[in-house]
Amino acid sequence: GESVGLHLPTLSVQEGDNSIINCAYSNSASDYFIWYKQESGKGPQFIIDIRSNMDKRQGQRVTVLLNKTVKHLSLQIAATQPGDSAVYFCAESSAGGTSYGKLTFGQGTILTVHP
Amino acid sequence: EAQVTQNPRYLITVTGKKLTVTCSQNMNHEYMSWYRQDPGLGLRQIYYSMNVEVTDKGDVPEGYKVSRKEKRNFPLILESPSPNQTSLYFCASSFRAASYEQYFGPGTRLTVT
């Protein structure tokens, strides 16, 4: 079937390694950032979020880092497992103003984990 | 089970034949949204709704209509589909606006010939 991952950046890692997925966002007014995981044939699934008043947030095996100075977001996955193989999207939103309610997704990164 | 459902899951239609893709959520969420996903373009927001009777345009609203008459339902209407609307469509909902965790439906693959 048609691939939603056509021409996306890719990252290949070995099982057990740590993975880092990067995202550059465009709107300096964005104040809320989210990472989603999309497995083949499924809808995106929320992983972790971070607000602009923070620069780091940790979840289970995942950490999100936010650098507002250079408008950069990263997702770190510790001890990557084959089940982590998916397309990862960052998304940005605003808590107010005319863009309240809008969600803008990044291009996505394909993560492949080799056993 | 908390979920977002979409129907149909697959649809092949012809240019100009009006169609509706339904979306329903059972989580009493205020916010609902529609996205389309195309190869290499990621997900793009079509329309969103902050609450009943409140809808607004996303980044790619042309050729689409929505309505929010009930809290649980947010149908996507294509009055006159064209081939460039061939895409994978996702509905999503969250407790409040886009700044809360969104739950996505399983997707509707639409082909317009």
mmCIF file of all heavy atoms in Angstrom, chain B residues 42-88:
data_model
loop_
_atom_site.group_PDB
_atom_site.id
_atom_site.type_symbol
_atom_site.label_atom_id
_atom_site.label_comp_id
_atom_site.label_asym_id
_atom_site.label_seq_id
_atom_site.Cartn_x
_atom_site.Cartn_y
_atom_site.Cartn_z
ATOM 1 N N GLY B 42 3.455 14.670 5.936
ATOM 2 C CA GLY B 42 3.042 14.566 7.325
ATOM 3 C C GLY B 42 1.541 14.732 7.485
ATOM 4 O O GLY B 42 0.769 14.555 6.549
ATOM 5 N N LEU B 43 1.130 15.106 8.669
ATOM 6 C CA LEU B 43 -0.290 15.334 8.949
ATOM 7 C C LEU B 43 -0.580 16.825 8.865
ATOM 8 O O LEU B 43 0.144 17.630 9.435
ATOM 9 C CB LEU B 43 -0.653 14.835 10.349
ATOM 10 C CG LEU B 43 -0.659 13.332 10.500
ATOM 11 C CD1 LEU B 43 0.442 12.885 11.416
ATOM 12 C CD2 LEU B 43 -2.008 12.870 11.030
ATOM 13 N N ARG B 44 -1.648 17.152 8.182
ATOM 14 C CA ARG B 44 -2.051 18.559 8.068
ATOM 15 C C ARG B 44 -3.475 18.704 8.568
ATOM 16 O O ARG B 44 -4.349 17.928 8.205
ATOM 17 C CB ARG B 44 -1.917 19.024 6.622
ATOM 18 C CG ARG B 44 -0.473 19.071 6.124
ATOM 19 C CD ARG B 44 -0.402 19.502 4.673
ATOM 20 N NE ARG B 44 -0.967 18.495 3.779
ATOM 21 C CZ ARG B 44 -1.248 18.710 2.495
ATOM 22 N NH1 ARG B 44 -1.024 19.887 1.960
ATOM 23 N NH2 ARG B 44 -1.742 17.748 1.767
ATOM 24 N N GLN B 45 -3.690 19.727 9.364
ATOM 25 C CA GLN B 45 -4.985 19.931 9.984
ATOM 26 C C GLN B 45 -5.965 20.556 9.002
ATOM 27 O O GLN B 45 -5.661 21.557 8.354
ATOM 28 C CB GLN B 45 -4.828 20.808 11.221
ATOM 29 C CG GLN B 45 -6.039 20.864 12.115
ATOM 30 C CD GLN B 45 -5.760 21.626 13.396
ATOM 31 O OE1 GLN B 45 -5.064 22.637 13.393
ATOM 32 N NE2 GLN B 45 -6.279 21.137 14.504
ATOM 33 N N ILE B 46 -7.167 19.989 8.920
ATOM 34 C CA ILE B 46 -8.179 20.467 7.992
ATOM 35 C C ILE B 46 -9.127 21.444 8.711
ATOM 36 O O ILE B 46 -9.260 22.605 8.317
ATOM 37 C CB ILE B 46 -8.992 19.292 7.416
ATOM 38 C CG1 ILE B 46 -8.065 18.281 6.731
ATOM 39 C CG2 ILE B 46 -10.039 19.796 6.432
ATOM 40 C CD1 ILE B 46 -8.763 16.987 6.324
ATOM 41 N N TYR B 47 -9.791 20.958 9.720
ATOM 42 C CA TYR B 47 -10.686 21.753 10.552
ATOM 43 C C TYR B 47 -10.574 21.254 11.986
ATOM 44 O O TYR B 47 -10.190 20.116 12.228
ATOM 45 C CB TYR B 47 -12.147 21.591 10.099
ATOM 46 C CG TYR B 47 -12.630 22.570 9.079
ATOM 47 C CD1 TYR B 47 -12.602 22.239 7.719
ATOM 48 C CD2 TYR B 47 -13.117 23.812 9.441
ATOM 49 C CE1 TYR B 47 -13.058 23.139 6.760
ATOM 50 C CE2 TYR B 47 -13.576 24.722 8.492
ATOM 51 C CZ TYR B 47 -13.540 24.371 7.154
ATOM 52 O OH TYR B 47 -13.985 25.266 6.206
ATOM 53 N N TYR B 48 -10.943 22.117 12.914
ATOM 54 C CA TYR B 48 -11.025 21.708 14.298
ATOM 55 C C TYR B 48 -12.235 22.358 14.956
ATOM 56 O O TYR B 48 -12.800 23.329 14.436
ATOM 57 C CB TYR B 48 -9.737 22.026 15.064
ATOM 58 C CG TYR B 48 -9.357 23.482 15.120
ATOM 59 C CD1 TYR B 48 -9.718 24.277 16.204
ATOM 60 C CD2 TYR B 48 -8.604 24.053 14.098
ATOM 61 C CE1 TYR B 48 -9.352 25.609 16.260
ATOM 62 C CE2 TYR B 48 -8.231 25.386 14.148
ATOM 63 C CZ TYR B 48 -8.599 26.161 15.227
ATOM 64 O OH TYR B 48 -8.246 27.489 15.285
ATOM 65 N N SER B 49 -12.593 21.797 16.095
ATOM 66 C CA SER B 49 -13.768 22.282 16.814
ATOM 67 C C SER B 49 -13.439 22.341 18.301
ATOM 68 O O SER B 49 -13.071 21.332 18.902
ATOM 69 C CB SER B 49 -14.958 21.347 16.585
ATOM 70 O OG SER B 49 -16.017 21.670 17.457
ATOM 71 N N MET B 50 -13.565 23.527 18.861
ATOM 72 C CA MET B 50 -13.259 23.696 20.277
ATOM 73 C C MET B 50 -14.404 23.185 21.154
ATOM 74 O O MET B 50 -14.183 22.817 22.302
ATOM 75 C CB MET B 50 -13.007 25.174 20.571
ATOM 76 C CG MET B 50 -11.912 25.780 19.710
ATOM 77 S SD MET B 50 -10.282 25.170 20.156
ATOM 78 C CE MET B 50 -9.904 26.300 21.485
ATOM 79 N N ASN B 51 -15.610 23.195 20.610
ATOM 80 C CA ASN B 51 -16.763 22.696 21.360
ATOM 81 C C ASN B 51 -17.962 22.654 20.419
ATOM 82 O O ASN B 51 -17.847 22.995 19.228
ATOM 83 C CB ASN B 51 -17.049 23.593 22.566
ATOM 84 C CG ASN B 51 -17.624 22.813 23.750
ATOM 85 O OD1 ASN B 51 -18.358 21.841 23.568
ATOM 86 N ND2 ASN B 51 -17.279 23.235 24.947
ATOM 87 N N VAL B 52 -19.093 22.263 20.919
ATOM 88 C CA VAL B 52 -20.307 22.175 20.096
ATOM 89 C C VAL B 52 -20.586 23.531 19.453
ATOM 90 O O VAL B 52 -20.501 24.567 20.108
ATOM 91 C CB VAL B 52 -21.499 21.725 20.957
ATOM 92 C CG1 VAL B 52 -22.788 21.756 20.143
ATOM 93 C CG2 VAL B 52 -21.265 20.335 21.521
ATOM 94 N N GLU B 53 -20.879 23.469 18.154
ATOM 95 C CA GLU B 53 -21.221 24.653 17.352
ATOM 96 C C GLU B 53 -20.047 25.627 17.176
ATOM 97 O O GLU B 53 -20.256 26.745 16.688
ATOM 98 C CB GLU B 53 -22.418 25.407 17.959
ATOM 99 C CG GLU B 53 -23.690 24.579 18.095
ATOM 100 C CD GLU B 53 -24.308 24.190 16.760
ATOM 101 O OE1 GLU B 53 -23.769 24.558 15.700
ATOM 102 O OE2 GLU B 53 -25.341 23.484 16.781
ATOM 103 N N VAL B 54 -18.849 25.229 17.541
ATOM 104 C CA VAL B 54 -17.664 26.073 17.358
ATOM 105 C C VAL B 54 -16.659 25.331 16.494
ATOM 106 O O VAL B 54 -16.079 24.323 16.926
ATOM 107 C CB VAL B 54 -17.009 26.447 18.705
ATOM 108 C CG1 VAL B 54 -15.787 27.346 18.462
ATOM 109 C CG2 VAL B 54 -18.003 27.123 19.625
ATOM 110 N N THR B 55 -16.486 25.787 15.256
ATOM 111 C CA THR B 55 -15.523 25.162 14.367
ATOM 112 C C THR B 55 -14.622 26.228 13.761
ATOM 113 O O THR B 55 -15.014 27.397 13.660
ATOM 114 C CB THR B 55 -16.203 24.372 13.234
ATOM 115 O OG1 THR B 55 -16.959 25.275 12.419
ATOM 116 C CG2 THR B 55 -17.121 23.295 13.786
ATOM 117 N N ASP B 56 -13.431 25.812 13.343
ATOM 118 C CA ASP B 56 -12.504 26.769 12.755
ATOM 119 C C ASP B 56 -11.595 26.060 11.756
ATOM 120 O O ASP B 56 -11.412 24.831 11.822
ATOM 121 C CB ASP B 56 -11.658 27.455 13.819
ATOM 122 C CG ASP B 56 -11.327 28.896 13.443
ATOM 123 O OD1 ASP B 56 -11.373 29.219 12.233
ATOM 124 O OD2 ASP B 56 -11.030 29.688 14.339
ATOM 125 N N LYS B 57 -11.049 26.833 10.837
ATOM 126 C CA LYS B 57 -10.221 26.274 9.782
ATOM 127 C C LYS B 57 -8.831 25.940 10.296
ATOM 128 O O LYS B 57 -8.242 26.682 11.082
ATOM 129 C CB LYS B 57 -10.100 27.274 8.630
ATOM 130 C CG LYS B 57 -11.410 27.576 7.935
ATOM 131 C CD LYS B 57 -11.214 28.618 6.850
ATOM 132 C CE LYS B 57 -12.537 28.931 6.154
ATOM 133 N NZ LYS B 57 -12.372 29.978 5.114
ATOM 134 N N GLY B 58 -8.318 24.816 9.788
ATOM 135 C CA GLY B 58 -6.926 24.481 10.017
ATOM 136 C C GLY B 58 -6.083 25.007 8.873
ATOM 137 O O GLY B 58 -6.385 26.051 8.292
ATOM 138 N N ASP B 59 -5.075 24.266 8.507
ATOM 139 C CA ASP B 59 -4.157 24.709 7.457
ATOM 140 C C ASP B 59 -4.612 24.382 6.040
ATOM 141 O O ASP B 59 -4.203 25.051 5.099
ATOM 142 C CB ASP B 59 -2.770 24.094 7.692
ATOM 143 C CG ASP B 59 -2.101 24.648 8.936
ATOM 144 O OD1 ASP B 59 -2.243 25.862 9.190
ATOM 145 O OD2 ASP B 59 -1.449 23.870 9.662
ATOM 146 N N VAL B 60 -5.450 23.381 5.877
ATOM 147 C CA VAL B 60 -5.878 22.962 4.533
ATOM 148 C C VAL B 60 -7.389 22.734 4.476
ATOM 149 O O VAL B 60 -7.857 21.640 4.200
ATOM 150 C CB VAL B 60 -5.115 21.702 4.064
ATOM 151 C CG1 VAL B 60 -3.662 22.026 3.751
ATOM 152 C CG2 VAL B 60 -5.214 20.586 5.097
ATOM 153 N N PRO B 61 -8.213 23.777 4.686
ATOM 154 C CA PRO B 61 -9.665 23.573 4.751
ATOM 155 C C PRO B 61 -10.384 23.546 3.400
ATOM 156 O O PRO B 61 -11.549 23.146 3.343
ATOM 157 C CB PRO B 61 -10.116 24.805 5.555
ATOM 158 C CG PRO B 61 -9.134 25.867 5.138
ATOM 159 C CD PRO B 61 -7.816 25.138 4.994
ATOM 160 N N GLU B 62 -9.697 23.949 2.322
ATOM 161 C CA GLU B 62 -10.383 24.096 1.046
ATOM 162 C C GLU B 62 -10.947 22.760 0.570
ATOM 163 O O GLU B 62 -10.242 21.753 0.515
ATOM 164 C CB GLU B 62 -9.419 24.656 -0.019
ATOM 165 C CG GLU B 62 -8.913 26.063 0.267
ATOM 166 C CD GLU B 62 -7.807 26.087 1.302
ATOM 167 O OE1 GLU B 62 -7.189 25.020 1.558
ATOM 168 O OE2 GLU B 62 -7.556 27.171 1.859
ATOM 169 N N GLY B 63 -12.224 22.787 0.175
ATOM 170 C CA GLY B 63 -12.869 21.592 -0.345
ATOM 171 C C GLY B 63 -13.539 20.737 0.715
ATOM 172 O O GLY B 63 -14.106 19.690 0.387
ATOM 173 N N TYR B 64 -13.474 21.154 1.969
ATOM 174 C CA TYR B 64 -14.053 20.394 3.074
ATOM 175 C C TYR B 64 -15.037 21.246 3.869
ATOM 176 O O TYR B 64 -14.921 22.455 3.921
ATOM 177 C CB TYR B 64 -12.956 19.913 4.031
ATOM 178 C CG TYR B 64 -11.861 19.109 3.391
ATOM 179 C CD1 TYR B 64 -10.680 19.727 2.973
ATOM 180 C CD2 TYR B 64 -11.990 17.737 3.203
ATOM 181 C CE1 TYR B 64 -9.662 19.003 2.381
ATOM 182 C CE2 TYR B 64 -10.977 17.008 2.614
ATOM 183 C CZ TYR B 64 -9.819 17.647 2.207
ATOM 184 O OH TYR B 64 -8.816 16.916 1.622
ATOM 185 N N LYS B 65 -15.996 20.562 4.487
ATOM 186 C CA LYS B 65 -16.893 21.194 5.445
ATOM 187 C C LYS B 65 -16.980 20.301 6.665
ATOM 188 O O LYS B 65 -16.782 19.086 6.579
ATOM 189 C CB LYS B 65 -18.296 21.373 4.846
ATOM 190 C CG LYS B 65 -18.416 22.483 3.841
ATOM 191 C CD LYS B 65 -19.818 22.505 3.224
ATOM 192 C CE LYS B 65 -20.911 22.656 4.238
ATOM 193 N NZ LYS B 65 -22.255 22.740 3.598
ATOM 194 N N VAL B 66 -17.309 20.912 7.793
ATOM 195 C CA VAL B 66 -17.518 20.148 9.015
ATOM 196 C C VAL B 66 -18.723 20.722 9.742
ATOM 197 O O VAL B 66 -19.185 21.821 9.434
ATOM 198 C CB VAL B 66 -16.297 20.191 9.959
ATOM 199 C CG1 VAL B 66 -15.105 19.445 9.370
ATOM 200 C CG2 VAL B 66 -15.939 21.626 10.317
ATOM 201 N N SER B 67 -19.221 19.945 10.685
ATOM 202 C CA SER B 67 -20.265 20.441 11.576
ATOM 203 C C SER B 67 -20.069 19.802 12.941
ATOM 204 O O SER B 67 -19.518 18.703 13.047
ATOM 205 C CB SER B 67 -21.655 20.127 11.022
ATOM 206 O OG SER B 67 -21.901 18.733 11.052
ATOM 207 N N ARG B 68 -20.508 20.495 13.962
ATOM 208 C CA ARG B 68 -20.397 19.949 15.326
ATOM 209 C C ARG B 68 -21.712 20.261 16.046
ATOM 210 O O ARG B 68 -21.826 21.190 16.837
ATOM 211 C CB ARG B 68 -19.210 20.593 16.061
ATOM 212 C CG ARG B 68 -18.926 19.948 17.408
ATOM 213 C CD ARG B 68 -17.947 18.835 17.322
ATOM 214 N NE ARG B 68 -17.702 18.183 18.591
ATOM 215 C CZ ARG B 68 -16.807 18.588 19.507
ATOM 216 N NH1 ARG B 68 -16.107 19.687 19.290
ATOM 217 N NH2 ARG B 68 -16.657 17.914 20.616
ATOM 218 N N LYS B 69 -22.688 19.447 15.760
ATOM 219 C CA LYS B 69 -24.009 19.638 16.366
ATOM 220 C C LYS B 69 -24.119 18.938 17.719
ATOM 221 O O LYS B 69 -24.942 19.310 18.562
ATOM 222 C CB LYS B 69 -25.095 19.140 15.423
ATOM 223 C CG LYS B 69 -25.218 19.976 14.154
ATOM 224 C CD LYS B 69 -26.362 19.502 13.285
ATOM 225 C CE LYS B 69 -26.643 20.451 12.134
ATOM 226 N NZ LYS B 69 -25.473 20.677 11.272
ATOM 227 N N GLU B 70 -23.314 17.904 17.890
ATOM 228 C CA GLU B 70 -23.293 17.170 19.155
ATOM 229 C C GLU B 70 -21.850 17.069 19.603
ATOM 230 O O GLU B 70 -20.940 17.052 18.783
ATOM 231 C CB GLU B 70 -23.843 15.754 18.976
ATOM 232 C CG GLU B 70 -25.189 15.650 18.345
ATOM 233 C CD GLU B 70 -25.459 14.205 17.944
ATOM 234 O OE1 GLU B 70 -24.977 13.801 16.877
ATOM 235 O OE2 GLU B 70 -26.116 13.495 18.714
ATOM 236 N N LYS B 71 -21.654 16.925 20.887
ATOM 237 C CA LYS B 71 -20.304 16.872 21.414
ATOM 238 C C LYS B 71 -19.530 15.666 20.890
ATOM 239 O O LYS B 71 -18.336 15.738 20.635
ATOM 240 C CB LYS B 71 -20.349 16.832 22.939
ATOM 241 C CG LYS B 71 -19.058 17.224 23.623
ATOM 242 C CD LYS B 71 -19.285 17.362 25.112
ATOM 243 C CE LYS B 71 -18.068 17.955 25.784
ATOM 244 N NZ LYS B 71 -18.281 18.141 27.234
ATOM 245 N N ARG B 72 -20.174 14.531 20.721
ATOM 246 C CA ARG B 72 -19.473 13.310 20.403
ATOM 247 C C ARG B 72 -19.167 13.146 18.912
ATOM 248 O O ARG B 72 -18.312 12.352 18.553
ATOM 249 C CB ARG B 72 -20.252 12.109 20.903
ATOM 250 C CG ARG B 72 -21.617 11.907 20.268
ATOM 251 C CD ARG B 72 -22.333 10.708 20.867
ATOM 252 N NE ARG B 72 -21.642 9.480 20.514
ATOM 253 C CZ ARG B 72 -21.271 8.569 21.411
ATOM 254 N NH1 ARG B 72 -21.512 8.732 22.684
ATOM 255 N NH2 ARG B 72 -20.669 7.472 21.025
ATOM 256 N N ASN B 73 -19.845 13.876 18.038
ATOM 257 C CA ASN B 73 -19.708 13.640 16.602
ATOM 258 C C ASN B 73 -19.125 14.846 15.865
ATOM 259 O O ASN B 73 -19.479 16.002 16.158
ATOM 260 C CB ASN B 73 -21.081 13.306 15.987
ATOM 261 C CG ASN B 73 -21.650 12.015 16.519
ATOM 262 O OD1 ASN B 73 -20.916 11.058 16.744
ATOM 263 N ND2 ASN B 73 -22.947 12.002 16.743
ATOM 264 N N PHE B 74 -18.289 14.546 14.883
ATOM 265 C CA PHE B 74 -17.645 15.615 14.110
ATOM 266 C C PHE B 74 -17.437 15.109 12.680
ATOM 267 O O PHE B 74 -16.334 14.723 12.289
ATOM 268 C CB PHE B 74 -16.321 15.983 14.779
ATOM 269 C CG PHE B 74 -15.661 17.224 14.237
ATOM 270 C CD1 PHE B 74 -16.386 18.381 13.984
ATOM 271 C CD2 PHE B 74 -14.288 17.245 14.001
ATOM 272 C CE1 PHE B 74 -15.773 19.527 13.513
ATOM 273 C CE2 PHE B 74 -13.658 18.392 13.524
ATOM 274 C CZ PHE B 74 -14.407 19.524 13.276
ATOM 275 N N PRO B 75 -18.489 15.101 11.871
ATOM 276 C CA PRO B 75 -18.361 14.580 10.517
ATOM 277 C C PRO B 75 -17.591 15.507 9.574
ATOM 278 O O PRO B 75 -17.651 16.733 9.708
ATOM 279 C CB PRO B 75 -19.829 14.440 10.066
ATOM 280 C CG PRO B 75 -20.568 15.461 10.887
ATOM 281 C CD PRO B 75 -19.868 15.506 12.212
ATOM 282 N N LEU B 76 -16.891 14.896 8.651
ATOM 283 C CA LEU B 76 -16.152 15.615 7.601
ATOM 284 C C LEU B 76 -16.903 15.423 6.293
ATOM 285 O O LEU B 76 -17.162 14.295 5.896
ATOM 286 C CB LEU B 76 -14.734 15.070 7.482
ATOM 287 C CG LEU B 76 -13.845 15.709 6.418
ATOM 288 C CD1 LEU B 76 -13.484 17.138 6.813
ATOM 289 C CD2 LEU B 76 -12.571 14.880 6.209
ATOM 290 N N ILE B 77 -17.237 16.523 5.646
ATOM 291 C CA ILE B 77 -18.051 16.492 4.436
ATOM 292 C C ILE B 77 -17.238 16.984 3.252
ATOM 293 O O ILE B 77 -16.616 18.051 3.308
ATOM 294 C CB ILE B 77 -19.302 17.379 4.612
ATOM 295 C CG1 ILE B 77 -20.090 16.905 5.837
ATOM 296 C CG2 ILE B 77 -20.166 17.355 3.342
ATOM 297 C CD1 ILE B 77 -20.983 17.966 6.420
ATOM 298 N N LEU B 78 -17.254 16.194 2.183
ATOM 299 C CA LEU B 78 -16.650 16.604 0.923
ATOM 300 C C LEU B 78 -17.795 16.784 -0.058
ATOM 301 O O LEU B 78 -18.383 15.813 -0.533
ATOM 302 C CB LEU B 78 -15.652 15.566 0.412
ATOM 303 C CG LEU B 78 -14.298 15.505 1.125
ATOM 304 C CD1 LEU B 78 -14.411 14.889 2.534
ATOM 305 C CD2 LEU B 78 -13.293 14.740 0.288
ATOM 306 N N GLU B 79 -18.162 18.034 -0.323
ATOM 307 C CA GLU B 79 -19.331 18.316 -1.164
ATOM 308 C C GLU B 79 -19.106 17.872 -2.607
ATOM 309 O O GLU B 79 -20.005 17.349 -3.251
ATOM 310 C CB GLU B 79 -19.622 19.823 -1.132
ATOM 311 C CG GLU B 79 -20.064 20.362 0.213
ATOM 312 C CD GLU B 79 -21.574 20.324 0.401
ATOM 313 O OE1 GLU B 79 -22.279 19.808 -0.500
ATOM 314 O OE2 GLU B 79 -22.050 20.790 1.446
ATOM 315 N N SER B 80 -17.914 18.088 -3.120
ATOM 316 C CA SER B 80 -17.603 17.719 -4.495
ATOM 317 C C SER B 80 -16.154 17.228 -4.547
ATOM 318 O O SER B 80 -15.246 17.980 -4.921
ATOM 319 C CB SER B 80 -17.812 18.913 -5.431
ATOM 320 O OG SER B 80 -17.585 18.534 -6.777
ATOM 321 N N PRO B 81 -15.950 15.985 -4.166
ATOM 322 C CA PRO B 81 -14.576 15.473 -4.064
ATOM 323 C C PRO B 81 -13.813 15.552 -5.379
ATOM 324 O O PRO B 81 -14.395 15.372 -6.467
ATOM 325 C CB PRO B 81 -14.774 14.020 -3.634
ATOM 326 C CG PRO B 81 -16.151 13.965 -3.058
ATOM 327 C CD PRO B 81 -16.951 14.983 -3.795
ATOM 328 N N SER B 82 -12.533 15.804 -5.254
ATOM 329 C CA SER B 82 -11.658 15.814 -6.430
ATOM 330 C C SER B 82 -10.476 14.880 -6.157
ATOM 331 O O SER B 82 -10.202 14.534 -5.005
ATOM 332 C CB SER B 82 -11.151 17.235 -6.688
ATOM 333 O OG SER B 82 -10.381 17.686 -5.598
ATOM 334 N N PRO B 83 -9.784 14.456 -7.215
ATOM 335 C CA PRO B 83 -8.671 13.506 -7.029
ATOM 336 C C PRO B 83 -7.597 13.994 -6.060
ATOM 337 O O PRO B 83 -6.945 13.172 -5.404
ATOM 338 C CB PRO B 83 -8.122 13.347 -8.455
ATOM 339 C CG PRO B 83 -9.322 13.540 -9.327
ATOM 340 C CD PRO B 83 -10.115 14.637 -8.656
ATOM 341 N N ASN B 84 -7.399 15.310 -5.949
ATOM 342 C CA ASN B 84 -6.378 15.785 -5.016
ATOM 343 C C ASN B 84 -6.803 15.658 -3.546
ATOM 344 O O ASN B 84 -6.022 16.001 -2.645
ATOM 345 C CB ASN B 84 -5.949 17.225 -5.335
ATOM 346 C CG ASN B 84 -7.055 18.236 -5.144
ATOM 347 O OD1 ASN B 84 -8.107 17.926 -4.583
ATOM 348 N ND2 ASN B 84 -6.841 19.460 -5.596
ATOM 349 N N GLN B 85 -7.993 15.155 -3.322
ATOM 350 C CA GLN B 85 -8.427 14.870 -1.955
ATOM 351 C C GLN B 85 -8.242 13.389 -1.602
ATOM 352 O O GLN B 85 -8.619 12.956 -0.508
ATOM 353 C CB GLN B 85 -9.880 15.305 -1.747
ATOM 354 C CG GLN B 85 -10.032 16.822 -1.783
ATOM 355 C CD GLN B 85 -11.464 17.274 -1.629
ATOM 356 O OE1 GLN B 85 -12.330 16.960 -2.448
ATOM 357 N NE2 GLN B 85 -11.728 18.042 -0.579
ATOM 358 N N THR B 86 -7.662 12.655 -2.533
ATOM 359 C CA THR B 86 -7.260 11.285 -2.230
ATOM 360 C C THR B 86 -6.200 11.336 -1.139
ATOM 361 O O THR B 86 -5.162 11.986 -1.305
ATOM 362 C CB THR B 86 -6.700 10.599 -3.490
ATOM 363 O OG1 THR B 86 -7.764 10.431 -4.427
ATOM 364 C CG2 THR B 86 -6.080 9.253 -3.155
ATOM 365 N N SER B 87 -6.491 10.688 -0.016
ATOM 366 C CA SER B 87 -5.597 10.816 1.125
ATOM 367 C C SER B 87 -6.027 9.862 2.228
ATOM 368 O O SER B 87 -7.032 9.164 2.120
ATOM 369 C CB SER B 87 -5.641 12.260 1.651
ATOM 370 O OG SER B 87 -4.660 12.485 2.652
ATOM 371 N N LEU B 88 -5.241 9.852 3.296
ATOM 372 C CA LEU B 88 -5.575 9.132 4.518
ATOM 373 C C LEU B 88 -6.040 10.174 5.534
ATOM 374 O O LEU B 88 -5.300 11.121 5.826
ATOM 375 C CB LEU B 88 -4.346 8.378 5.017
ATOM 376 C CG LEU B 88 -4.482 7.566 6.304
ATOM 377 C CD1 LEU B 88 -5.560 6.497 6.175
ATOM 378 C CD2 LEU B 88 -3.142 6.925 6.656
#
